[in-house]
């Protein structure tokens, strides 16, 4: 099942950052905070996300700094399982003037631990060399945790058996009684 992946425990590292606008801001859940690359650092800028375990990723979601269309446009996504050797997933284009989350599909889906975003080009309105990003999310196939200790409603259930032994006056051996929790003759009914 494809879901927005839980970012709990994820960490982010960047090629540079400035002041309080650190890499961690892209994972804090707030669009009014953001990572900002350091002044004077030229493109390209990079942001690497460590998901702390291999995960099948199908999409990346990016939210740019609010009300500031001077971020990056063209970028490359890369993936790795060791954090050292990265493989390119392709180049994409972000609209720096769209302030809601923008989604980028990975085709095919990738099973990776690390995702690196490399900002390649600045927006036409950017006069300097800095860039920024407010939020990073990923969609993929997250392992589902099995439910335990859940009593299921047996209404409408039926049961059959390859054979049944019925003694006159004692029908407790019928297969149907396995799912009939109401019957006093059910082997699963509480004793009174």
């Amino acid at each position: 099942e494809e879901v927005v992946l839980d970012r709990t425990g994820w960490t982010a590292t960047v090629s540079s950052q400035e002041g309080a606008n650190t890499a961690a801001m892209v994972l804090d859940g707030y669009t009014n905070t953001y990572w900002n690359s350091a002044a004077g650092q030229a493109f390209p800028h990079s942001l690497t996300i460590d998901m702390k375990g291999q995960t099948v990723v199908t999409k990346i979601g990016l939210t740019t700094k609010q009300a500031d269309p001077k971020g990056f446009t063209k970028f490359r996504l890369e993936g790795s399982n060791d954090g050292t050797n990265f493989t390119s997933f392709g180049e994409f284009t972000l609209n720096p003037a769209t302030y809601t989350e923008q989604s980028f599909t990975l085709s095919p889906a990738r099973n990776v631990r690390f995702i690196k975003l490399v900002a390649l080009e600045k927006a036409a309105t950017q006069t300097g060399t800095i860039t920024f990003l407010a939020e990073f999310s990923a969609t993929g196939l997250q392992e589902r945790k099995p439910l335990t200790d859940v009593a299921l409603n047996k209404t409408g259930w039926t049961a059959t058996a390859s054979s049944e032994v019925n003694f006159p006056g004692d029908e407790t051996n019928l297969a149907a009684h396995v799912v009939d929790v109401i019957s006093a003759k059910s082997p699963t009914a509480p004793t009174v």
Side-chain angles (χ1 to χ4, degrees), residues 82-112:
D82 62 10
T84 302
N85 301 296
F86 283 83
T87 300
S88 175
F89 298 159
E91 293 184 357
F92 305 83
T93 302
L94 180 81
N95 182 346
T98 297
Y99 304 119
T100 54
E101 183 179 74
Q102 296 173 61
S103 181
F104 302 91
T105 300
L106 302 184
S107 183
R110 308 298 181 124
N111 187 14
V112 292

PDB file of all heavy atoms in Angstrom, residues 82-112:
ATOM      1  N   ASP A  82      24.261   2.976   1.081  1.00  0.00           N
ATOM      2  CA  ASP A  82      25.391   3.094   2.002  1.00  0.00           C
ATOM      3  C   ASP A  82      25.756   4.543   2.335  1.00  0.00           C
ATOM      4  O   ASP A  82      26.625   4.791   3.160  1.00  0.00           O
ATOM      5  CB  ASP A  82      26.615   2.353   1.450  1.00  0.00           C
ATOM      6  CG  ASP A  82      27.114   2.923   0.122  1.00  0.00           C
ATOM      7  OD1 ASP A  82      26.644   4.007  -0.304  1.00  0.00           O
ATOM      8  OD2 ASP A  82      27.981   2.283  -0.497  1.00  0.00           O
ATOM      9  N   GLY A  83      25.097   5.510   1.681  1.00  0.00           N
ATOM     10  CA  GLY A  83      25.375   6.913   1.959  1.00  0.00           C
ATOM     11  C   GLY A  83      26.621   7.433   1.270  1.00  0.00           C
ATOM     12  O   GLY A  83      26.958   8.600   1.425  1.00  0.00           O
ATOM     13  N   THR A  84      27.283   6.597   0.503  1.00  0.00           N
ATOM     14  CA  THR A  84      28.509   6.995  -0.190  1.00  0.00           C
ATOM     15  C   THR A  84      28.358   6.894  -1.704  1.00  0.00           C
ATOM     16  O   THR A  84      28.699   7.815  -2.439  1.00  0.00           O
ATOM     17  CB  THR A  84      29.693   6.113   0.260  1.00  0.00           C
ATOM     18  OG1 THR A  84      29.845   6.237   1.677  1.00  0.00           O
ATOM     19  CG2 THR A  84      30.983   6.519  -0.417  1.00  0.00           C
ATOM     20  N   ASN A  85      27.859   5.775  -2.172  1.00  0.00           N
ATOM     21  CA  ASN A  85      27.694   5.536  -3.608  1.00  0.00           C
ATOM     22  C   ASN A  85      26.247   5.820  -4.003  1.00  0.00           C
ATOM     23  O   ASN A  85      25.339   5.087  -3.599  1.00  0.00           O
ATOM     24  CB  ASN A  85      28.058   4.084  -3.942  1.00  0.00           C
ATOM     25  CG  ASN A  85      29.489   3.771  -3.552  1.00  0.00           C
ATOM     26  OD1 ASN A  85      30.418   4.350  -4.090  1.00  0.00           O
ATOM     27  ND2 ASN A  85      29.665   2.870  -2.593  1.00  0.00           N
ATOM     28  N   PHE A  86      26.041   6.878  -4.778  1.00  0.00           N
ATOM     29  CA  PHE A  86      24.699   7.314  -5.160  1.00  0.00           C
ATOM     30  C   PHE A  86      24.440   7.048  -6.639  1.00  0.00           C
ATOM     31  O   PHE A  86      25.338   7.162  -7.474  1.00  0.00           O
ATOM     32  CB  PHE A  86      24.517   8.809  -4.875  1.00  0.00           C
ATOM     33  CG  PHE A  86      24.294   9.109  -3.422  1.00  0.00           C
ATOM     34  CD1 PHE A  86      25.365   9.226  -2.544  1.00  0.00           C
ATOM     35  CD2 PHE A  86      23.008   9.277  -2.920  1.00  0.00           C
ATOM     36  CE1 PHE A  86      25.165   9.498  -1.208  1.00  0.00           C
ATOM     37  CE2 PHE A  86      22.798   9.547  -1.577  1.00  0.00           C
ATOM     38  CZ  PHE A  86      23.879   9.658  -0.715  1.00  0.00           C
ATOM     39  N   THR A  87      23.186   6.709  -6.963  1.00  0.00           N
ATOM     40  CA  THR A  87      22.727   6.494  -8.325  1.00  0.00           C
ATOM     41  C   THR A  87      21.693   7.558  -8.662  1.00  0.00           C
ATOM     42  O   THR A  87      20.793   7.827  -7.863  1.00  0.00           O
ATOM     43  CB  THR A  87      22.072   5.099  -8.459  1.00  0.00           C
ATOM     44  OG1 THR A  87      23.040   4.113  -8.110  1.00  0.00           O
ATOM     45  CG2 THR A  87      21.575   4.854  -9.866  1.00  0.00           C
ATOM     46  N   SER A  88      21.792   8.143  -9.840  1.00  0.00           N
ATOM     47  CA  SER A  88      20.853   9.188 -10.254  1.00  0.00           C
ATOM     48  C   SER A  88      19.486   8.597 -10.584  1.00  0.00           C
ATOM     49  O   SER A  88      19.382   7.564 -11.241  1.00  0.00           O
ATOM     50  CB  SER A  88      21.392   9.939 -11.473  1.00  0.00           C
ATOM     51  OG  SER A  88      20.433  10.870 -11.928  1.00  0.00           O
ATOM     52  N   PHE A  89      18.429   9.283 -10.111  1.00  0.00           N
ATOM     53  CA  PHE A  89      17.047   8.923 -10.452  1.00  0.00           C
ATOM     54  C   PHE A  89      16.506   9.830 -11.551  1.00  0.00           C
ATOM     55  O   PHE A  89      15.375   9.682 -11.979  1.00  0.00           O
ATOM     56  CB  PHE A  89      16.130   9.048  -9.241  1.00  0.00           C
ATOM     57  CG  PHE A  89      16.482   8.141  -8.093  1.00  0.00           C
ATOM     58  CD1 PHE A  89      16.033   8.433  -6.814  1.00  0.00           C
ATOM     59  CD2 PHE A  89      17.242   7.008  -8.262  1.00  0.00           C
ATOM     60  CE1 PHE A  89      16.333   7.612  -5.743  1.00  0.00           C
ATOM     61  CE2 PHE A  89      17.558   6.177  -7.197  1.00  0.00           C
ATOM     62  CZ  PHE A  89      17.092   6.486  -5.933  1.00  0.00           C
ATOM     63  N   GLY A  90      17.298  10.807 -11.968  1.00  0.00           N
ATOM     64  CA  GLY A  90      16.864  11.717 -13.017  1.00  0.00           C
ATOM     65  C   GLY A  90      16.813  13.156 -12.549  1.00  0.00           C
ATOM     66  O   GLY A  90      17.000  13.457 -11.369  1.00  0.00           O
ATOM     67  N   GLU A  91      16.567  14.055 -13.510  1.00  0.00           N
ATOM     68  CA  GLU A  91      16.470  15.480 -13.224  1.00  0.00           C
ATOM     69  C   GLU A  91      15.016  15.929 -13.316  1.00  0.00           C
ATOM     70  O   GLU A  91      14.239  15.399 -14.125  1.00  0.00           O
ATOM     71  CB  GLU A  91      17.349  16.282 -14.188  1.00  0.00           C
ATOM     72  CG  GLU A  91      18.826  16.014 -13.951  1.00  0.00           C
ATOM     73  CD  GLU A  91      19.744  16.867 -14.816  1.00  0.00           C
ATOM     74  OE1 GLU A  91      19.244  17.650 -15.653  1.00  0.00           O
ATOM     75  OE2 GLU A  91      20.978  16.746 -14.645  1.00  0.00           O
ATOM     76  N   PHE A  92      14.665  16.886 -12.480  1.00  0.00           N
ATOM     77  CA  PHE A  92      13.295  17.369 -12.355  1.00  0.00           C
ATOM     78  C   PHE A  92      13.313  18.891 -12.275  1.00  0.00           C
ATOM     79  O   PHE A  92      14.361  19.494 -12.094  1.00  0.00           O
ATOM     80  CB  PHE A  92      12.651  16.795 -11.083  1.00  0.00           C
ATOM     81  CG  PHE A  92      12.701  15.289 -10.995  1.00  0.00           C
ATOM     82  CD1 PHE A  92      13.844  14.640 -10.517  1.00  0.00           C
ATOM     83  CD2 PHE A  92      11.624  14.529 -11.391  1.00  0.00           C
ATOM     84  CE1 PHE A  92      13.898  13.257 -10.440  1.00  0.00           C
ATOM     85  CE2 PHE A  92      11.671  13.138 -11.314  1.00  0.00           C
ATOM     86  CZ  PHE A  92      12.805  12.506 -10.830  1.00  0.00           C
ATOM     87  N   THR A  93      12.126  19.500 -12.379  1.00  0.00           N
ATOM     88  CA  THR A  93      12.023  20.954 -12.285  1.00  0.00           C
ATOM     89  C   THR A  93      10.991  21.341 -11.246  1.00  0.00           C
ATOM     90  O   THR A  93       9.835  20.899 -11.299  1.00  0.00           O
ATOM     91  CB  THR A  93      11.638  21.564 -13.648  1.00  0.00           C
ATOM     92  OG1 THR A  93      12.621  21.196 -14.610  1.00  0.00           O
ATOM     93  CG2 THR A  93      11.573  23.080 -13.556  1.00  0.00           C
ATOM     94  N   LEU A  94      11.407  22.162 -10.297  1.00  0.00           N
ATOM     95  CA  LEU A  94      10.550  22.702  -9.239  1.00  0.00           C
ATOM     96  C   LEU A  94      10.116  24.106  -9.634  1.00  0.00           C
ATOM     97  O   LEU A  94      10.921  24.875 -10.168  1.00  0.00           O
ATOM     98  CB  LEU A  94      11.332  22.759  -7.922  1.00  0.00           C
ATOM     99  CG  LEU A  94      10.604  23.307  -6.703  1.00  0.00           C
ATOM    100  CD1 LEU A  94       9.715  22.223  -6.092  1.00  0.00           C
ATOM    101  CD2 LEU A  94      11.612  23.795  -5.658  1.00  0.00           C
ATOM    102  N   ASN A  95       8.869  24.438  -9.366  1.00  0.00           N
ATOM    103  CA  ASN A  95       8.400  25.807  -9.583  1.00  0.00           C
ATOM    104  C   ASN A  95       8.581  26.561  -8.267  1.00  0.00           C
ATOM    105  O   ASN A  95       7.836  26.326  -7.318  1.00  0.00           O
ATOM    106  CB  ASN A  95       6.939  25.823 -10.018  1.00  0.00           C
ATOM    107  CG  ASN A  95       6.428  27.228 -10.290  1.00  0.00           C
ATOM    108  OD1 ASN A  95       7.054  28.223  -9.918  1.00  0.00           O
ATOM    109  ND2 ASN A  95       5.289  27.319 -10.949  1.00  0.00           N
ATOM    110  N   PRO A  96       9.554  27.485  -8.169  1.00  0.00           N
ATOM    111  CA  PRO A  96       9.828  28.157  -6.896  1.00  0.00           C
ATOM    112  C   PRO A  96       8.741  29.139  -6.474  1.00  0.00           C
ATOM    113  O   PRO A  96       8.770  29.651  -5.358  1.00  0.00           O
ATOM    114  CB  PRO A  96      11.159  28.869  -7.146  1.00  0.00           C
ATOM    115  CG  PRO A  96      11.209  29.078  -8.614  1.00  0.00           C
ATOM    116  CD  PRO A  96      10.482  27.913  -9.222  1.00  0.00           C
ATOM    117  N   ALA A  97       7.775  29.399  -7.362  1.00  0.00           N
ATOM    118  CA  ALA A  97       6.674  30.308  -7.022  1.00  0.00           C
ATOM    119  C   ALA A  97       5.403  29.559  -6.622  1.00  0.00           C
ATOM    120  O   ALA A  97       4.357  30.164  -6.412  1.00  0.00           O
ATOM    121  CB  ALA A  97       6.387  31.237  -8.200  1.00  0.00           C
ATOM    122  N   THR A  98       5.484  28.230  -6.512  1.00  0.00           N
ATOM    123  CA  THR A  98       4.361  27.427  -6.021  1.00  0.00           C
ATOM    124  C   THR A  98       4.661  27.050  -4.587  1.00  0.00           C
ATOM    125  O   THR A  98       5.647  26.365  -4.317  1.00  0.00           O
ATOM    126  CB  THR A  98       4.177  26.155  -6.885  1.00  0.00           C
ATOM    127  OG1 THR A  98       3.859  26.551  -8.220  1.00  0.00           O
ATOM    128  CG2 THR A  98       3.057  25.282  -6.339  1.00  0.00           C
ATOM    129  N   TYR A  99       3.802  27.494  -3.666  1.00  0.00           N
ATOM    130  CA  TYR A  99       4.133  27.369  -2.243  1.00  0.00           C
ATOM    131  C   TYR A  99       3.472  26.176  -1.559  1.00  0.00           C
ATOM    132  O   TYR A  99       3.674  25.950  -0.371  1.00  0.00           O
ATOM    133  CB  TYR A  99       3.793  28.677  -1.525  1.00  0.00           C
ATOM    134  CG  TYR A  99       4.514  29.846  -2.165  1.00  0.00           C
ATOM    135  CD1 TYR A  99       3.812  30.897  -2.725  1.00  0.00           C
ATOM    136  CD2 TYR A  99       5.901  29.852  -2.265  1.00  0.00           C
ATOM    137  CE1 TYR A  99       4.487  31.945  -3.350  1.00  0.00           C
ATOM    138  CE2 TYR A  99       6.578  30.886  -2.877  1.00  0.00           C
ATOM    139  CZ  TYR A  99       5.863  31.934  -3.420  1.00  0.00           C
ATOM    140  OH  TYR A  99       6.530  32.957  -4.039  1.00  0.00           O
ATOM    141  N   THR A 100       2.702  25.394  -2.305  1.00  0.00           N
ATOM    142  CA  THR A 100       2.177  24.137  -1.781  1.00  0.00           C
ATOM    143  C   THR A 100       3.137  23.021  -2.181  1.00  0.00           C
ATOM    144  O   THR A 100       4.030  23.222  -3.013  1.00  0.00           O
ATOM    145  CB  THR A 100       0.775  23.845  -2.352  1.00  0.00           C
ATOM    146  OG1 THR A 100       0.836  23.901  -3.772  1.00  0.00           O
ATOM    147  CG2 THR A 100      -0.244  24.871  -1.838  1.00  0.00           C
ATOM    148  N   GLU A 101       2.962  21.850  -1.595  1.00  0.00           N
ATOM    149  CA  GLU A 101       3.865  20.739  -1.895  1.00  0.00           C
ATOM    150  C   GLU A 101       3.781  20.350  -3.368  1.00  0.00           C
ATOM    151  O   GLU A 101       2.693  20.241  -3.931  1.00  0.00           O
ATOM    152  CB  GLU A 101       3.530  19.529  -1.026  1.00  0.00           C
ATOM    153  CG  GLU A 101       4.486  18.358  -1.250  1.00  0.00           C
ATOM    154  CD  GLU A 101       4.182  17.170  -0.368  1.00  0.00           C
ATOM    155  OE1 GLU A 101       3.176  16.481  -0.662  1.00  0.00           O
ATOM    156  OE2 GLU A 101       4.927  16.928   0.589  1.00  0.00           O
ATOM    157  N   GLN A 102       4.942  20.137  -3.963  1.00  0.00           N
ATOM    158  CA  GLN A 102       5.030  19.657  -5.339  1.00  0.00           C
ATOM    159  C   GLN A 102       5.546  18.222  -5.305  1.00  0.00           C
ATOM    160  O   GLN A 102       6.479  17.901  -4.562  1.00  0.00           O
ATOM    161  CB  GLN A 102       5.963  20.550  -6.160  1.00  0.00           C
ATOM    162  CG  GLN A 102       5.433  21.978  -6.285  1.00  0.00           C
ATOM    163  CD  GLN A 102       6.427  22.900  -6.943  1.00  0.00           C
ATOM    164  OE1 GLN A 102       6.823  22.690  -8.088  1.00  0.00           O
ATOM    165  NE2 GLN A 102       6.847  23.950  -6.226  1.00  0.00           N
ATOM    166  N   SER A 103       4.913  17.355  -6.101  1.00  0.00           N
ATOM    167  CA  SER A 103       5.220  15.923  -6.070  1.00  0.00           C
ATOM    168  C   SER A 103       5.997  15.507  -7.314  1.00  0.00           C
ATOM    169  O   SER A 103       5.687  15.946  -8.426  1.00  0.00           O
ATOM    170  CB  SER A 103       3.906  15.140  -5.980  1.00  0.00           C
ATOM    171  OG  SER A 103       4.152  13.760  -5.926  1.00  0.00           O
ATOM    172  N   PHE A 104       6.995  14.625  -7.112  1.00  0.00           N
ATOM    173  CA  PHE A 104       7.839  14.142  -8.198  1.00  0.00           C
ATOM    174  C   PHE A 104       7.902  12.621  -8.128  1.00  0.00           C
ATOM    175  O   PHE A 104       8.370  12.056  -7.138  1.00  0.00           O
ATOM    176  CB  PHE A 104       9.234  14.765  -8.098  1.00  0.00           C
ATOM    177  CG  PHE A 104       9.189  16.270  -8.122  1.00  0.00           C
ATOM    178  CD1 PHE A 104       9.097  16.979  -6.932  1.00  0.00           C
ATOM    179  CD2 PHE A 104       9.180  16.960  -9.317  1.00  0.00           C
ATOM    180  CE1 PHE A 104       9.021  18.369  -6.941  1.00  0.00           C
ATOM    181  CE2 PHE A 104       9.102  18.344  -9.339  1.00  0.00           C
ATOM    182  CZ  PHE A 104       9.027  19.053  -8.155  1.00  0.00           C
ATOM    183  N   THR A 105       7.407  11.964  -9.173  1.00  0.00           N
ATOM    184  CA  THR A 105       7.316  10.501  -9.204  1.00  0.00           C
ATOM    185  C   THR A 105       8.637   9.868  -9.620  1.00  0.00           C
ATOM    186  O   THR A 105       9.266  10.314 -10.584  1.00  0.00           O
ATOM    187  CB  THR A 105       6.201  10.067 -10.175  1.00  0.00           C
ATOM    188  OG1 THR A 105       4.965  10.622  -9.725  1.00  0.00           O
ATOM    189  CG2 THR A 105       6.085   8.553 -10.248  1.00  0.00           C
ATOM    190  N   LEU A 106       9.036   8.835  -8.890  1.00  0.00           N
ATOM    191  CA  LEU A 106      10.205   8.042  -9.252  1.00  0.00           C
ATOM    192  C   LEU A 106       9.712   6.843 -10.055  1.00  0.00           C
ATOM    193  O   LEU A 106       8.922   6.041  -9.556  1.00  0.00           O
ATOM    194  CB  LEU A 106      10.946   7.566  -8.002  1.00  0.00           C
ATOM    195  CG  LEU A 106      11.436   8.648  -7.043  1.00  0.00           C
ATOM    196  CD1 LEU A 106      12.224   8.014  -5.912  1.00  0.00           C
ATOM    197  CD2 LEU A 106      12.279   9.679  -7.765  1.00  0.00           C
ATOM    198  N   SER A 107      10.144   6.753 -11.291  1.00  0.00           N
ATOM    199  CA  SER A 107       9.700   5.649 -12.137  1.00  0.00           C
ATOM    200  C   SER A 107      10.926   4.976 -12.763  1.00  0.00           C
ATOM    201  O   SER A 107      11.619   5.593 -13.574  1.00  0.00           O
ATOM    202  CB  SER A 107       8.769   6.166 -13.231  1.00  0.00           C
ATOM    203  OG  SER A 107       8.290   5.105 -14.011  1.00  0.00           O
ATOM    204  N   PRO A 108      11.225   3.753 -12.333  1.00  0.00           N
ATOM    205  CA  PRO A 108      10.475   2.925 -11.389  1.00  0.00           C
ATOM    206  C   PRO A 108      10.702   3.361  -9.943  1.00  0.00           C
ATOM    207  O   PRO A 108      11.575   4.177  -9.667  1.00  0.00           O
ATOM    208  CB  PRO A 108      11.071   1.534 -11.631  1.00  0.00           C
ATOM    209  CG  PRO A 108      12.494   1.809 -12.019  1.00  0.00           C
ATOM    210  CD  PRO A 108      12.450   3.073 -12.829  1.00  0.00           C
ATOM    211  N   ALA A 109       9.903   2.787  -9.033  1.00  0.00           N
ATOM    212  CA  ALA A 109      10.102   3.029  -7.600  1.00  0.00           C
ATOM    213  C   ALA A 109      11.487   2.536  -7.203  1.00  0.00           C
ATOM    214  O   ALA A 109      12.042   1.627  -7.838  1.00  0.00           O
ATOM    215  CB  ALA A 109       9.023   2.297  -6.802  1.00  0.00           C
ATOM    216  N   ARG A 110      12.063   3.132  -6.168  1.00  0.00           N
ATOM    217  CA  ARG A 110      13.429   2.792  -5.748  1.00  0.00           C
ATOM    218  C   ARG A 110      13.472   2.319  -4.304  1.00  0.00           C
ATOM    219  O   ARG A 110      12.838   2.917  -3.438  1.00  0.00           O
ATOM    220  CB  ARG A 110      14.338   4.004  -5.898  1.00  0.00           C
ATOM    221  CG  ARG A 110      14.309   4.657  -7.266  1.00  0.00           C
ATOM    222  CD  ARG A 110      14.790   3.711  -8.363  1.00  0.00           C
ATOM    223  NE  ARG A 110      14.767   4.365  -9.657  1.00  0.00           N
ATOM    224  CZ  ARG A 110      15.812   4.478 -10.454  1.00  0.00           C
ATOM    225  NH1 ARG A 110      16.968   3.957 -10.110  1.00  0.00           N
ATOM    226  NH2 ARG A 110      15.714   5.078 -11.609  1.00  0.00           N
ATOM    227  N   ASN A 111      14.216   1.255  -4.049  1.00  0.00           N
ATOM    228  CA  ASN A 111      14.386   0.724  -2.703  1.00  0.00           C
ATOM    229  C   ASN A 111      15.716   1.222  -2.158  1.00  0.00           C
ATOM    230  O   ASN A 111      16.773   0.672  -2.482  1.00  0.00           O
ATOM    231  CB  ASN A 111      14.335  -0.808  -2.737  1.00  0.00           C
ATOM    232  CG  ASN A 111      14.331  -1.416  -1.358  1.00  0.00           C
ATOM    233  OD1 ASN A 111      14.119  -0.734  -0.360  1.00  0.00           O
ATOM    234  ND2 ASN A 111      14.576  -2.708  -1.284  1.00  0.00           N
ATOM    235  N   VAL A 112      15.680   2.297  -1.361  1.00  0.00           N
ATOM    236  CA  VAL A 112      16.902   2.965  -0.907  1.00  0.00           C
ATOM    237  C   VAL A 112      16.786   3.384   0.559  1.00  0.00           C
ATOM    238  O   VAL A 112      15.698   3.417   1.118  1.00  0.00           O
ATOM    239  CB  VAL A 112      17.210   4.222  -1.756  1.00  0.00           C
ATOM    240  CG1 VAL A 112      17.597   3.848  -3.169  1.00  0.00           C
ATOM    241  CG2 VAL A 112      16.043   5.191  -1.752  1.00  0.00           C
TER     242      VAL A 112
END
